[in-house]
């Protein structure tokens, strides 16, 4: 027997107007339909309808994780400082960590993610190769002190997440655990009704040899991914690589300086010389763990600082300030060139290939140089893909032009390797009687974020439109208002509930039929069953929320249709 929820007793308050601070569709509709309530920036209360959706997503996740043999645990959210100090993340997380002290002055944090604690748990519980492999997961509240929490539950400071970890004694075992999780994630998102893309990603400071993100395309997405319309290539823009074509053989004259007053930008330089920006070399100065580094890219492209940071992780990357130029006569603001730089590491995008010639700064005020050739006039210390990917860039697989789309990250899996096992000396006794270092995989799903992603993808102009698997009810029964209609609606709701159908019935007195109909579309249950003008004849109207198709059925026909 399924629950019958009467709206006359349900704590739900729908709104006609969008919240003033709401920007995304999911933020607007989840608040208006009475699913969530804002307590503070990035902190939300899940109201009864919202909690049902959240629990349904968690149920699907649990079922598929259990199906691959993963075991559920629940680790604390309040964590001691020492484990995160050992891994270095007490400092690396910076302001993202919620830090606190207990009454004795000991330092704690609210867990942003639990790699350290999972590793310690397995170290305590597993001592032999016979104890492995093991896969553990939890659905837990996470905490991150986001600088700009926004978009409702899409980016909060407190959120629900499923994180799981695999522990194996061999790299082959890790690959199998990764394969199992990947398959489970595909099933999870298919069951949730989420349109998603699996894209190549970078692991960054987490380390690891393989990394993929599960992205839900949506206009409100904060991630940009590139995909190829001509093949199956798809990647987070930070993971897109560029294949260098050998430069055409050509002779370049000697480098020569040019008088270029008042041209500190690529735009002003190109305009003065009458050349395209792509013929110039842009040199961005950054600090990597406090040391000044120059990054060269073609003048018509921008440096992707996120991509640069991923390449150089765990080092901290930040832009230079005016103070950094003091005492450095070799660094002339607006006129920096790679030739003649003193004690500065030079990183370049692969497009700055050996043999290519550029117009770039001459390291003198109001002066540039042309015919500055890579490999002849300056050397590149490291080649890294660091430009912002643009639509039309060549696909690394087939060469066709890439297209860019916005998406919400709903899952991330990667082969973590031995980073945390090394930190905490996670060894087990191997088959040969010697210690074996364990290798790990890390796998996350944003459970509360999936609610918003589904709202973004499935909503229409009238409101939410949930897939059946995660909707708060299977059918929304609406009593149009009169006593006979309410009596019939409650009777049908009870019969449906007895047959195992989850029912939300609008029996609210004193509410007009128009408001009830509007609310049924706003709340978004897949089927709407109306006890209306033909109730005296025992006839109901069944409406499909997604397609809008309507059909008149007798009570028995309607129950048979919904139960079947």
């Amino acid at each position: 027997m399924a629950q019958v929820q009467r709206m006359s007793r349900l704590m739900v308050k729908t709104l006609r107007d969008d919240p003033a601070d709401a920007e995304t569709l999911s933020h607007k509709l989840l608040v208006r339909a009475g699913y969530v309530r804002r307590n503070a920036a990035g902190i939300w209360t899940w109201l009864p309808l919202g909690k049902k959706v959240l629990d349904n997503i968690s149920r699907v996740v649990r079922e598929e994780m259990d199906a691959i043999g993963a075991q559920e645990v629940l680790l604390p959210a309040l964590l001691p400082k020492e484990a995160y100090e050992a891994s270095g993340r007490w400092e690396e997380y910076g302001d993202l960590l919620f830090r606190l002290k207990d009454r004795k002055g000991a330092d704690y944090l609210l867990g942003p993610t639990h790699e350290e604690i999972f590793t310690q748990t397995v170290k305590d519980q597993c001592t032999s190769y016979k104890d492995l492999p093991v896969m553990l997961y939890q659905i837990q509240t996470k905490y991150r002190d986001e600088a700009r929490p926004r978009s409702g539950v899409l980016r909060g400071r407190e959120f629900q997440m499923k994180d799981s970890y695999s522990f194996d004694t061999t790299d082959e075992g890790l690959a199998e655990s990764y394969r199992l999780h990947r398959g489970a994630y595909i099933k999870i998102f298919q069951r949730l009704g989420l349109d998603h893309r699996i894209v190549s990603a970078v692991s960054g400071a987490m380390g690891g040899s393989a990394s993929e993100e599960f992205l839900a395309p949506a206009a409100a997405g904060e991630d940009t991914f590139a995909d190829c319309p001509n093949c199956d290539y798809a990647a987070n823009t930070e993971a897109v690589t560029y294949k260098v074509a050998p430069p055409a053989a050509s002779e370049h004259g000697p480098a020569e300086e040019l008088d270029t007053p008042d041209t500190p930008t690529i735009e002003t330089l190109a305009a003065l010389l009458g050349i395209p920006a792509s013929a110039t070399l842009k040199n961005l100065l950054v600090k990597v763990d406090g040391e000044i580094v120059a990054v060269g890219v073609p003048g018509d492209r921008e440096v992707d600082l996120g991509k640069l940071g991923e390449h150089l992780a765990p080092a901290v990357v930040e832009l230079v300030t005016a103070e950094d130029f003091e005492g450095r006569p070799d660094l002339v603001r607006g006129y920096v060139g790679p030739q003649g730089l003193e004690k500065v590491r030079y990183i370049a995008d692969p497009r700055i290939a050996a043999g290519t010639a550029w117009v770039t700064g001459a390291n003198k005020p109001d002066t540039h140089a042309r015919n500055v050739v890579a490999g002849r006039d300056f050397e590149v210390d490291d080649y890294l893909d660091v430009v912002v990917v643009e639509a039309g860039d060549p696909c690394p697989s087939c060469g066709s032009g890439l297209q860019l789309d916005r998406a919400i990250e709903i899952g991330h899996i990667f082969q973590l390797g031995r980073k945390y096992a090394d930190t905490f000396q996670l060894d087990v006794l191997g088959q040969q009687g010697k210690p074996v270092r364990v290798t790990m995989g890390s796998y996350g799903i944003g459970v509360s974020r999936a609610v918003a992603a589904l709202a973004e993808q499935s909503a229409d102009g009238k409101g939410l439109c949930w897939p059946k698997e995660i909707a708060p009810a299977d059918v929304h029964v609406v009593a149009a208002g009169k006593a006979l209609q309410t009596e019939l609606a409650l009777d049908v709701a009870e019969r449906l509930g007895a047959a195992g159908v989850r029912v939300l019935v609008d029996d609210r007195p004193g509410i007009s039929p128009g408001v009830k109909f509007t609310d049924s579309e706003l709340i978004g249950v897949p089927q709407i069953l109306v006890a209306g003008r033909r109730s005296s004849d025992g006839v109901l109207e069944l409406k499909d929320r997604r397609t809008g198709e309507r059909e008149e059925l007798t009570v028995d026909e309607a129950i048979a249709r919904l139960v079947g």
Side-chain angles (χ1 to χ4, degrees):
M1 182 171 180
Q3 182 186 31
V4 175
Q5 179 67 65
R6 298 176 62 165
M7 289 187 68
S8 60
R9 301 172 184 172
L10 178 67
M11 189 177 72
V12 59
K13 181 180 180 181
T14 59
L15 304 175
R16 299 279 77 85
D17 298 320
D18 295 332
D21 61 338
E23 298 178 356
T24 62
L25 184 61
S26 60
H27 186 177
K28 296 172 184 176
L29 293 179
L30 289 172
V31 172
R32 284 185 52 207
Y35 282 75
V36 298
R37 176 185 178 273
R38 182 181 182 274
N39 294 95
I43 303 174
W44 294 85
T45 292
W46 291 87
L47 299 171
L49 288 177
K51 183 62 164 55
K52 288 180 183 293
V53 172
L54 193 67
D55 287 348
N56 285 336
I57 291 177
S58 296
R59 171 182 52 79
V60 171
V61 171
R62 281 191 173 94
E63 289 172 358
E64 296 300 337
M65 292 304 298
D66 292 346
I68 64 170
Q71 304 171 59
E72 184 172 7
V73 298
L74 182 60
L75 302 185
L78 179 63
L79 304 170
K81 168 187 178 181
E82 287 75 17
Y84 288 78
E85 268 193 323
S87 68
R89 296 207 295 177
W90 179 261
E91 297 298 331
E92 288 174 15
Y93 260 105
D95 292 338
L96 274 176
L97 274 188
F98 280 103
R99 307 166 196 260
L100 63 155
K101 292 180 181 292
D102 68 7
R103 65 182 65 195
K104 297 179 180 179
D107 288 306
Y108 289 81
L109 67 145
L110 296 178
T113 183
H114 280 70
E115 282 82 358
E116 289 86 349
I117 311 304
F118 269 97
T119 306
Q120 290 181 328
T121 301
V122 172
K123 181 179 175 66
D124 177 68
Q125 298 292 315
C126 300
T127 57
S128 167
Y129 74 94
K130 296 178 182 179
D131 299 325
L132 302 180
V134 67
M135 294 182 289
L136 303 176
Y137 77 95
Q138 66 171 347
I139 297 176
Q140 168 69 286
T141 302
K142 307 289 188 181
Y143 301 88
R144 293 177 190 170
D145 193 2
E146 296 281 355
R148 292 176 296 279
R150 56 191 180 275
S151 303
V153 297
L154 264 180
R155 181 173 287 277
R157 295 193 291 169
E158 175 185 283
F159 54 94
Q160 291 286 309
M161 181 178 172
K162 188 285 298 180
D163 53 331
S164 59
Y165 301 87
S166 62
F167 299 84
D168 291 272
T169 56
T170 66
D171 292 340
E172 292 77 13
L174 171 57
E176 175 62 11
S177 296
Y178 185 92
R179 184 191 67 81
L180 288 171
H181 274 86
R182 193 180 194 272
Y185 275 39
I186 292 172
K187 290 180 180 178
I188 288 168
F189 296 129
Q190 286 176 341
R191 287 182 60 184
L192 295 182
L194 271 168
D195 176 25
H196 66 280
R197 304 287 187 275
I198 305 174
V199 305
S200 299
V202 291
S203 298
M206 300 299 291
S209 57
S211 178
E212 291 177 297
E213 290 177 345
F214 290 74
L215 302 180
E222 294 184 333
D223 281 51
T224 302
F225 73 100
D227 61 343
C228 179
N230 193 51
C231 70
D232 61 357
Y233 178 83
N236 184 298
T237 52
E238 292 181 354
V240 174
T241 57
Y242 177 73
K243 290 186 176 180
V244 181
S250 59
E251 293 292 329
H252 300 293
E256 59 176 312
E257 293 187 354
L258 304 171
D259 185 27
T260 54
D262 300 321
T263 57
T265 66
I266 294 295
E267 292 74 16
T268 53
L269 174 64
L272 177 68
L273 300 181
I275 58 174
S278 59
T280 68
L281 177 57
K282 179 185 297 182
N283 300 287
L284 179 71
L285 296 181
V286 298
K287 288 188 292 186
V288 179
D289 283 346
E291 294 294 325
I292 293 180
V293 172
V295 183
V297 300
D300 61 337
R301 305 302 290 259
E302 298 296 329
V303 175
D304 187 329
L305 290 175
K307 205 171 185 178
L308 179 64
E310 292 286 357
H311 280 301
L312 300 178
V316 176
V317 178
E318 55 189 336
L319 292 173
V320 298
T321 63
E323 290 73 21
D324 294 311
F325 287 89
E326 295 176 4
R328 291 296 302 266
D330 58 317
L331 302 179
V332 181
R333 197 169 191 175
Y335 297 88
V336 172
Q339 69 284 7
L341 284 179
E342 299 177 7
K343 299 180 181 178
V344 175
R345 177 184 174 191
Y346 193 71
I347 295 172
D349 186 77
R351 295 165 178 82
I352 317 301
T356 55
W358 304 89
V359 175
T360 189
N363 301 306
K364 298 178 181 179
D366 296 325
T367 308
H368 282 83
R370 65 182 169 198
N371 291 331
V372 178
V373 180
R376 186 192 72 182
D377 301 309
F378 67 93
E379 296 296 330
V380 175
D381 294 306
D382 298 285
Y383 278 106
L384 299 175
D385 286 291
V386 293
V387 300
V388 174
V389 176
E390 297 179 355
D393 279 352
C395 169
S397 292
C398 72
S400 299
L402 293 172
Q403 60 187 25
L404 302 182
D405 294 293
R406 304 292 294 173
I408 299 165
E409 182 185 337
I410 50 177
H412 193 174
I413 60 176
F414 51 94
Q415 296 182 19
L416 187 56
R418 295 175 173 82
K419 174 181 172 68
Y420 291 93
D422 287 342
T423 297
F424 296 100
Q425 297 183 330
L426 175 55
D427 297 327
V428 295
L429 192 65
Q431 287 181 288
Q432 307 304 319
K434 297 180 179 180
V436 175
R437 183 62 41 98
V438 172
T439 185
M440 295 170 56
S442 177
Y443 319 90
I445 288 179
V447 175
S448 52
R449 175 173 281 204
V451 176
L454 277 164
E456 292 287 340
Q457 287 191 345
S458 61
D460 59 20
K462 298 178 181 179
L464 298 164
C465 193
W466 300 112
K468 181 178 179 179
E469 183 86 53
I470 62 98
D474 298 317
V475 59
H476 188 152
V477 178
V478 177
K482 297 180 180 179
L484 175 63
Q485 295 163 342
T486 300
E487 182 180 343
L488 178 60
L490 290 172
D491 178 66
V492 170
E494 292 298 329
R495 291 175 62 182
L496 287 168
V501 178
R502 299 172 301 138
V503 182
L504 177 66
V505 56
D506 193 345
D507 61 333
R508 294 175 294 174
I511 303 296
S512 71
V515 170
K516 289 184 177 182
F517 296 149
T518 298
D519 281 351
S520 70
E521 293 179 321
L522 177 62
I523 290 170
V525 172
Q527 299 288 337
I528 301 171
L529 187 63
V530 180
R533 55 185 178 83
R534 296 197 60 191
S535 293
S536 58
D537 300 326
V539 176
L540 307 170
E541 180 185 79
L542 181 63
K543 177 182 176 181
D544 186 290
R545 172 65 185 85
R546 183 172 300 280
T547 66
E549 294 178 359
R550 303 168 185 264
E551 185 178 4
E552 288 192 339
L553 301 168
T554 65
V555 170
D556 289 341
E557 289 172 338
I559 291 174
R561 178 76 60 82
L562 292 167
V563 171

